[in-house]
Amino acid sequence: MEDPFESLQPSDKIKEALQNNNAAAAAAMIQNHLDEQDNIPLNIGITGESGSGKSTFVNAIRGIDNSHETAAPTGCVETTTEITPYQHPTYPNVKIWDLPGIGTMNFPADKYLQVVGFEKYDFFIIISADRFRENDVKLAQEIQKMGKKFYFVRSKIDHSVHDEERSQKKFNEKVTLDLIRQNCVQGLQKQGFQSPQVFLVTSFELHKYDFHKLEETLERELPAHKKNSFLMAMPNISRGIIDKKKEAFQSKIKYLASVSAFIACAPVPGLSMAVDLTMLVTTVTNYQITFGLDKQSLQSLADSAEVSLTDLRSVMKSPLSATEITKELIVKTLSLSLSEAALIAAEEGSRFIPIFGIPAAMTLSFMSTYKALSSFLNMLADDAQSVFTRALGLDTSV
């Protein structure tokens, strides 16, 4: 059998703890490392001229609508009068900063970055509802001088498309979108930007138009240690994002399983199972919420997609979707798998084998935790794909 800890590549401190037979300390170190990775701060600055749809965009990328109790206030006039951070509802380490419109009385263009505290943001998204104007260009140029990333987003693109459709007898959406994008790019090129990227977005339907391209660009260009925070905070606007979230979760399972294995070396009957259940509840709850399969997220999706909650529930197969994750539910779900139940029983029984019992219990604990989390992750990721497909009114059999 392959060594289940070979891929862990422990740090010097973890190695030292293991050499001193202090498995509990090693487990704590791994868990602390995982917690640190999950709490890396990410600060996104949303800016642009007043009335460009900044606040609606802030709400959209947080996965909530404008009527939510924690939503940034929106309206047909400038509603953002001060610098306001909005935490992501699931990942509080991610903050979306709704910045006042550039060029307003209290935020003049020439002092804008200084006033809003330029240094705190990882990158900026500059939003315009039509063409990018002089203030947008000045802001981008200053950001560029200071060595940070910025991205141009043309908002309310659904309105532009609708207006064009009404005015043309032979309407072609792709041609219209290409013309809008080309017009924005050419305008920015005249202002000195060599290869500007412009993303066409409607905040009310992020799965349409260019938001997926913006997400892919940001993920590609963010520093490695920030990518996971960004990915997990993004709403499920494509099958690709759901797959990426699944891959990110899958990469952590070996570490969680290692924590379980180190706890299993304690010669206390039932301790490993108790710790494992707590870990499974916490981890699976995170899977459920991140995939948008908790009750609140499902209701929100049903409302925005104008489908019934019953319709969304009908495509879900996992007992872990749309319900509270409890230890009892985890045990019940595990008991449905004969192999999983056998591994757990073998782990507890192996403790009483002289000399070889504890190493065997550690290996079995690693295997059972790894298999359980992988199974739960697959279940919920599959349900997330099915729910996303049904919400868009597509054929879920494809």
Side-chain angles (χ1 to χ4, degrees):
M1 179 183 297
E2 294 184 2
D3 181 3
F5 308 111
E6 184 178 0
S7 62
L8 183 57
Q9 297 179 343
S11 67
D12 291 341
K13 289 184 177 180
I14 295 176
K15 289 179 180 178
E16 182 180 351
L18 293 175
Q19 289 169 355
N20 293 331
N21 294 319
N22 194 345
M29 290 177 193
I30 296 173
Q31 188 62 59
N32 287 339
H33 173 72
L34 291 174
D35 292 342
E36 288 174 2
Q37 294 301 306
D38 288 339
N39 289 288
I40 291 175
L42 181 67
N43 293 282
I44 305 171
I46 310 297
T47 185
E49 290 193 332
S50 60
S52 58
K54 299 186 304 298
S55 298
T56 299
F57 186 81
V58 166
N59 295 333
I61 62 176
R62 292 171 64 222
I64 62 175
D65 58 38
N66 291 342
S67 63
H68 194 275
E69 60 183 2
T70 67
T74 60
C76 58
V77 296
E78 176 69 12
T79 55
T80 305
T81 57
E82 58 184 28
I83 303 163
T84 310
Y86 291 92
Q87 286 186 330
H88 189 277
T90 305
Y91 293 93
N93 56 306
V94 177
K95 291 182 180 178
I96 319 296
W97 294 76
D98 191 4
L99 305 179
I102 182 173
T104 54
M105 184 178 299
N106 294 327
F107 296 87
D110 58 340
K111 297 181 179 178
Y112 187 81
L113 289 177
Q114 179 182 351
V115 174
V116 301
F118 168 85
E119 67 284 345
K120 71 165 65 84
Y121 310 105
D122 291 288
F123 61 87
F124 291 84
I125 292 178
I126 303 173
I127 296 182
S128 176
D130 41 56
R131 63 184 178 84
F132 293 94
R133 304 180 189 278
E134 181 181 1
N135 283 338
D136 299 318
V137 171
K138 286 181 179 179
L139 176 60
Q141 290 170 338
E142 289 302 311
I143 295 172
Q144 194 171 49
K145 288 178 185 177
M146 296 182 182
K148 287 200 176 182
K149 294 285 188 178
F150 60 90
Y151 305 90
F152 291 109
V153 167
R154 170 71 157 74
S155 65
K156 305 180 183 180
I157 200 65
D158 52 330
H159 294 175
S160 300
V161 169
H162 180 64
D163 291 343
E164 193 70 14
E165 185 176 12
R166 292 179 62 186
S167 65
Q168 289 188 14
K169 291 183 178 179
K170 294 183 178 180
F171 171 74
N172 184 300
E173 183 176 89
K174 183 180 184 305
V175 170
T176 297
L177 294 172
D178 288 343
L179 286 173
I180 293 172
R181 189 182 294 106
Q182 184 180 15
N183 180 261
C184 290
V185 168
Q186 288 176 346
L188 291 168
Q189 286 175 332
K190 290 178 181 179
Q191 299 294 332
F193 296 98
Q194 293 185 351
S195 301
Q197 293 187 79
V198 177
F199 302 93
L200 311 183
V201 169
T202 170
S203 296
F204 293 104
E205 295 179 286
L206 289 182
H207 63 277
K208 287 188 173 182
Y209 311 118
D210 291 346
F211 186 82
H212 70 285
K213 294 180 182 178
L214 173 63
E215 179 272 326
E216 290 169 359
T217 301
L218 289 169
E219 187 185 356
R220 183 172 62 250
E221 296 185 358
L222 275 172
H225 66 292
K226 299 277 187 177
K227 288 183 179 181
N228 189 68
S229 295
F230 172 76
L231 174 63
M232 292 303 175
M234 285 298 97
N236 297 329
I237 54 91
S238 71
R239 293 185 181 89
I241 285 184
I242 294 172
D243 285 337
K244 289 176 184 177
K245 288 182 178 182
K246 179 182 177 182
E247 290 172 9
F249 280 133
Q250 185 68 50
S251 69
K252 294 182 179 181
I253 289 180
K254 61 178 178 287
Y255 299 108
L256 292 167
S258 297
V259 172
S260 171
F262 292 144
I263 295 299
C265 77
V268 180
L271 174 63
S272 178
M273 185 61 181
V275 173
D276 286 352
L277 281 176
T278 300
M279 177 201 297
L280 289 172
V281 168
T282 300
T283 304
V284 174
T285 298
N286 192 21
Y287 292 171
Q288 185 198 70
I289 294 174
T290 302
F291 284 132
L293 296 174
D294 57 295
K295 293 179 181 178
Q296 184 176 349
S297 297
L298 285 168
Q299 185 61 64
S300 178
L301 177 61
D303 294 340
S304 62
E306 298 183 347
V307 298
S308 70
L309 184 59
T310 301
D311 201 20
L312 294 182
R313 286 176 177 270
S314 69
V315 299
M316 299 188 299
K317 298 179 180 179
S318 170
L320 303 172
S321 297
T323 189
E324 181 184 0
I325 305 299
T326 63
K327 292 181 181 180
E328 291 74 21
L329 178 60
I330 293 293
V331 170
K332 181 179 179 181
T333 307
L334 288 173
S335 68
L336 297 176
S337 169
L338 294 177
S339 59
E340 199 54 49
L343 281 173
I344 295 171
E347 176 193 341
E348 288 301 313
S350 66
R351 296 178 184 281
F352 303 101
I353 302 174
I355 302 177
F356 301 107
I358 296 301
M362 291 178 67
T363 299
L364 290 168
S365 182
F366 180 97
M367 292 171 59
S368 62
T369 301
Y370 190 97
K371 185 174 181 181
L373 285 175
S374 295
S375 176
F376 295 157
L377 178 59
N378 288 335
M379 288 180 189
L380 290 168
D382 287 347
D383 274 2
Q385 293 285 12
S386 297
V387 166
F388 172 78
T389 303
R390 179 55 62 90
L392 293 186
L394 303 176
D395 182 359
T396 54
S397 66
V398 177

